[in-house]
Each structure stands twice: as C-alpha cells, then as structure tokens.
Amino acid sequence: MTAGLSRIVIVGGGFAGVATARALRRRLPSSWEIVVYSRENHLCFSPLLPEVVGSSLNPMHVVWSIREMLKGVICRTTPVTGFDLDVQQIRYRAEDGTEASEHYDHLVIAAGLPVRLEIIEGMGDYGWPIKTLGDAAALRNHLIAQLERSELAESPERKRALLSVAVVGGGFTGVEVAAAILDLLLDAAPFYSRIRPEEIQVHLLEGGPRILAPLTEKLAAFAHRKLEARGMHIQTGVGVEAADAGGLRLAGGAHIDASTVISAVGNGVHPLIANSGLALSRGRIQVNGAMQVEGHADVWALGDCAAVPNAEDDSISPTLAQFAGPQGQQLAKNLEAVIAGRSPQAFRHHSRGLFCLIGHRNAVGQAFGLRIAGFPAWVMWHAIYWAKMPSAARKLQIAVDWLWDLCFPRDIVELSMEQTRELEARHGKPTAS
Ligand SMILES: Cc1cc2nc3c(=O)[nH]c(=O)nc-3n(C[C@H](O)[C@H](O)[C@H](O)COP(=O)(O)OP(=O)(O)OC[C@H]3O[C@@H](n4cnc5c(N)ncnc54)[C@H](O)[C@@H]3O)c2cc1C
C-alpha cells in the first residue's frame, strides 16, 4: 500500500463493482486508494448477449474497458483466490502464477453468480451456457458452423439434427436467446441452397406452467403466440431430465433431437464465496439492508452474489443489473458515511420495469404502470438500453448496429480464429516454389 493511503478493495468488475468504484471515486478524497480486481478487463453488458448470439450486434460493442470507465481507480485483471478476513487481506493470482496478498481497509465483494450447468444431468458435457461474452460469441459461431455443415449433410436426418436447437428455461434469458437464434437461422436460410426454413427447429422448454412468469399472463400469452406463429416449438410444464449427445431427455421418456442444447437455468455458488466462511442465503452472501456483512464491519457485498434486502418492499433483490447498479451507488454512499463516522442507509430501489425481446423486432414489457407489446416495446427496449451505454462512442456503434440490422441482412460470417500453424497442421505445409 502507498504510505499514508487507506484502501478499498472491490472484487468484481461487473455492474455492481463498477458502479461502486465509480461512485466511490467521486465521493472519496485521493487519500483513499480504490482497487478493482476482475477476471476480465471489461464490463460485459449481459442484457445484450442474446443479440450477440443472434448476430444482430457486434460482440465488441457489448463490452467496455473498465480502465476507461474508472479513471483514478486501480484496475487489476486477475482472479481473487481467497479472503483472510481476520487480517484484512485478499489473496490474488500474481503475474507469475503464484498467490499474492493485499491489505484492505474495506472489502467490497461483487463477484456475481456463476452458471451451474450440472443442475441438469449431462448439461456440463453437452450444453451451452449463456453468461459471458465468450459464451455468446462462441454460440453464435457454432450456430453458423452448424448451418455450414447442414449445407454439406447428405441425409435429411443429419441435416434436421444439425438445424435443431433446444433451449431450456422459459425465463427472460431463455426466451430472448431462443428468439434470437430463430431469427438468425431463418434469416440465414435463404443464403444456403440446401436449407429450407421448415427444416429449422427451435425448441423452448419451461418447467413452470407458462413462459415469462414475472410478466402478466396477458403479456406472456402474447409472447407465446408470437413465438409459435414464427415457428418456435414451446413446451411448458415439462421436466428436462438429461442432456445427451443427441439432444434432451424429458421426464416421461420423450426425447428432443437437437445438436445444440442451451441452458438458461441454474445458478451455482461462487467458489470464492463458498470457501469464504461467510453466511450464505440460497447461495448468496447474507448482508444487512446497508449491504454490510454481519460481524464484519469492514466487509460489504452486493450484486448477484449477495442477498441484498430491498427496503422498498422488504424482498430480497433479484439478480438483475437494474438492481446491481443502484446497489453500487448506495454502497458508495454508505462507505463514505461510515468513513465519516455516520450511519449507513438501507438499500431501497423501485424496479423500473421488465422487458423481453421475442424476436422479429417484437418485445413485451411492463414499465411505469404501462404494458406494452410488439414493435413499440422493441423500440422502448432498445431506447432504454441505449440510454445506459456508458460512452458516446459505444452509443454510436450500437445505434449503427441496430440500424444496420433494420436495413441489411444480419452477418453470417463464421469468425475463423484458425492460425497459420493450425492450418498447416490440418491441411499440410506449403512446399517451396
Ligand atoms: C444473458 C443474460 C441476460 C440478462 N439480461 C438482463 C436484463 O435484461 N436486465 C437486467 O437487469 N439484468 C439482466 N441480466 C442479469 C445481469 O447481467 C446481472 O444481474 C448483473 O450482471 C449482475 O451484476 P454483478 O456485478 O453482480 O455481477 P456480474 O455482472 O456477473 O459481474 C461479476 C464480476 O465479478 C468478476 N469476478 C468473478 N469472480 C472473480 C474473482 N474470483 N476474482 C475477480 N473477479 C471476479 C467477473 O469477472 C465479473 O466482472 C442478464 C444476465 C444474462 C447472463
């Protein structure tokens, strides 16, 4: 630590960690060093990941450099490997791979929630998660590769399998991803001489009685009808027992044949948090209303990884970015208050509403007491997220992407990352001329 400075260490460079660091830097004098540890050097705007999968957004445009966003904050791109709360230290992976430690005066844990594919048997081996930029970009590439393979497939059965996708989970993420994939495959089909649109199968499977449970029944029914009219196969009240190499096995013995299986269900406990010795509530760190960990006045937690009570309605905050950001702003105010010897305040947030894209330039949502569906909801969804982009440059890039998508066919380039050495290994080395 720099002599004479006090330090706040923030673990996590997602919505919660970045919002906390930004607000803290504005509030605290430079005698307080703020250090953010994150596994990536960017903030990923997860609500836009389904559009990356559907190839209507450039993957680079949904991430932002944390360094550029956090002027005056020290950013370290490396995982934190543990906490020694008794001696106020975190452990992290140093550049040479060894474990190093750093002292903190206050620790803020904002490490998010990992996906747990194993919630369904076989999903760890055969399923695609949708959580990170890497997941979305790899899935997009895989879907385009499946189209290319289908063009070459000789048997109709093989072609059907290659063109079949099954998405497990009829919540917001599942519906948005399934809708984006259907749009991508249907829009791409005319460019392939041997693919007919009716050969494309996208299945959406939901265990509950209806998709989009947090929305009103009417809006969910609208979404269901629209998706089915476009050709999606939706099953509700269905138990998925296992994923295998050929698709999904359902309770009762039925099988859905699909070469691509995506899981949009199931969070696990973050290993860092599981090993921290902190009290957990349903896999999230237990905190009081001010986001302080009981028994540790210098440890705070927020975002998806913490069970943060919301004083607005005495509920536990949902795992949503629209809660993680405001939590970060409140936590910064609380830290400033505690440092100045004042009491911290409870987190209170009124949800602004919920929107879900359902494909083909349609969405459903409820906000400010209004229920809205179809193209106007699609416009509203895009306007809301566009307003949240952190820089004018990204606003412009994203606006161009969306405008491009309205006017031109979506990009079906399979991004090849094959390097010369790999090409040579696969196809042979060139000979001397
Ligand atoms: C596909 C998808 C769509 C979504 N759509 C919406 C939506 O429409 N609206 C909405 O409000 N929310 C949406 N969400 C949820 C939203 O993304 C999360 O609620 C939000 O990201 C939570 O923020 P967070 O900072 O707590 O966690 P995250 O954003 O997950 O960030 C966690 C950070 O911690 C870092 N980290 C983890 N472990 C370590 C470690 N050991 N050391 C250092 N750093 C570590 C990670 O690298 C990451 O930077 C969506 C999520 C997904 C996956």
Side-chain angles (χ1 to χ4, degrees):
M1 176 163 55
T2 318
L5 293 186
S6 305
R7 176 182 294 143
I8 296 172
V9 166
I10 299 173
V11 182
F15 285 95
V18 166
T20 310
R22 259 186 150 176
L24 275 175
R25 193 59 294 162
R26 280 197 305 270
R27 289 176 174 276
L28 294 185
S30 54
S31 55
W32 279 87
E33 204 170 68
I34 300 162
V35 186
V36 173
Y37 282 84
S38 191
R39 289 186 305 215
E40 308 88 27
N41 81 346
H42 60 252
L43 165 72
C44 175
F45 205 95
S46 328
L48 300 181
L49 289 180
E51 292 196 303
V52 171
V53 174
S55 201
S56 51
L57 269 186
N58 180 335
M60 284 297 287
H61 296 169
V62 305
V63 285
W64 293 279
S65 153
I66 299 176
R67 280 173 204 288
E68 286 178 40
M69 293 175 78
L70 298 179
K71 302 227 169 67
V73 171
I74 298 169
C75 299
R76 300 212 165 118
T77 306
T78 189
V80 168
T81 50
F83 309 124
D84 297 313
L85 303 179
D86 298 340
V87 290
Q88 291 188 297
Q89 285 194 343
I90 57 124
R91 282 172 275 125
Y92 65 94
R93 192 178 305 144
E95 181 273 328
D96 60 4
T98 58
E99 205 174 52
S101 60
E102 182 163 59
H103 172 83
Y104 62 80
D105 293 282
H106 284 276
L107 171 64
V108 177
I109 308 173
L113 264 187
V115 184
R116 191 166 161 257
L117 286 172
E118 291 72 21
I119 200 167
I120 295 171
E121 187 193 322
M123 204 54 107
D125 293 323
Y126 302 106
W128 290 80
I130 174 76
K131 179 78 182 175
T132 65
L133 176 69
D135 292 338
L139 180 55
R140 170 203 175 276
N141 234 24
H142 163 82
L143 291 164
I144 296 169
Q146 298 296 78
L147 287 166
E148 299 299 335
R149 282 190 201 113
S150 326
E151 180 79 356
L152 297 172
E154 290 303 333
S155 80
E157 294 76 29
R158 176 71 184 142
K159 189 151 58 128
R160 225 180 355 262
L162 287 166
L163 292 172
S164 295
V165 178
V167 180
V168 181
F172 284 69
T173 301
V175 168
E176 288 195 348
V177 169
I181 291 174
L182 189 60
D183 277 357
L184 168 64
L185 299 181
L186 288 178
D187 287 4
F191 296 99
Y192 294 82
S193 64
R194 296 171 74 189
I195 297 177
R196 283 175 288 120
E198 55 276 20
E199 291 172 314
I200 292 163
Q201 306 262 319
V202 177
H203 299 266
L204 178 65
L205 302 147
E206 163 59 35
R210 64 177 170 95
I211 60 167
L212 299 176
L215 293 181
T216 63
E217 245 175 74
K218 219 169 155 187
L219 282 176
F222 176 88
H224 193 122
R225 274 198 314 275
K226 275 271 178 198
L227 289 166
E228 280 193 335
R230 188 121 165 94
M232 194 177 293
H233 303 272
I234 304 177
Q235 290 190 51
T236 53
V238 65
V240 175
E241 280 193 340
D244 55 38
L248 290 173
R249 195 177 73 231
L250 307 185
H255 194 270
I256 292 195
D257 299 332
S259 66
T260 306
V261 168
I262 297 156
S263 174
V265 291
N267 289 318
V269 185
H270 196 301
L272 187 64
I273 285 155
N275 300 327
S276 66
L278 297 173
L280 302 185
S281 167
R282 293 170 166 237
R284 302 166 81 190
I285 300 172
Q286 263 181 31
V287 289
N288 64 21
M291 293 169 274
Q292 232 164 352
V293 175
E294 296 294 348
H296 297 273
D298 53 358
V299 183
W300 309 72
L302 76 163
D304 283 7
C305 74
V308 178
N310 182 5
E312 179 81 8
D313 55 7
D314 289 329
S315 64
I316 294 296
S317 304
T319 52
L320 286 173
Q322 63 161 295
F323 279 77
Q327 283 170 5
Q329 282 149 19
Q330 181 62 48
L331 200 150
K333 282 187 202 158
N334 287 351
L335 264 167
E336 184 191 27
V338 166
I339 289 166
R342 301 192 309 271
S343 299
Q345 301 293 308
F347 170 71
R348 178 183 290 275
H349 182 65
H350 182 71
S351 169
R352 287 184 303 272
L354 294 165
F355 276 83
C356 181
L357 293 180
I358 55 172
H360 207 41
R361 300 196 185 102
N362 281 288
V364 285
Q366 48 201 55
F368 316 111
L370 292 173
R371 283 172 208 149
I372 173 162
F375 184 66
W378 183 90
V379 173
M380 203 156 161
W381 186 101
H382 285 79
I384 290 171
Y385 284 109
W386 185 79
K388 290 180 191 300
M389 304 296 151
S391 72
R394 275 292 188 268
K395 276 194 165 88
L396 188 63
Q397 284 171 321
I398 291 265
V400 170
D401 278 358
W402 283 333
L403 203 63
W404 186 275
D405 187 50
L406 280 172
C407 306
F408 301 102
R410 66 188 68 208
D411 201 328
I412 51 166
V413 169
E414 184 190 356
L415 191 62
S416 169
M417 296 302 282
E418 202 165 41
Q419 297 176 13
T420 299
R421 278 192 202 86
E422 292 162 323
L423 271 175
E424 286 179 357
R426 281 208 315 152
H427 308 293
K429 281 186 186 279
T431 51
S433 51

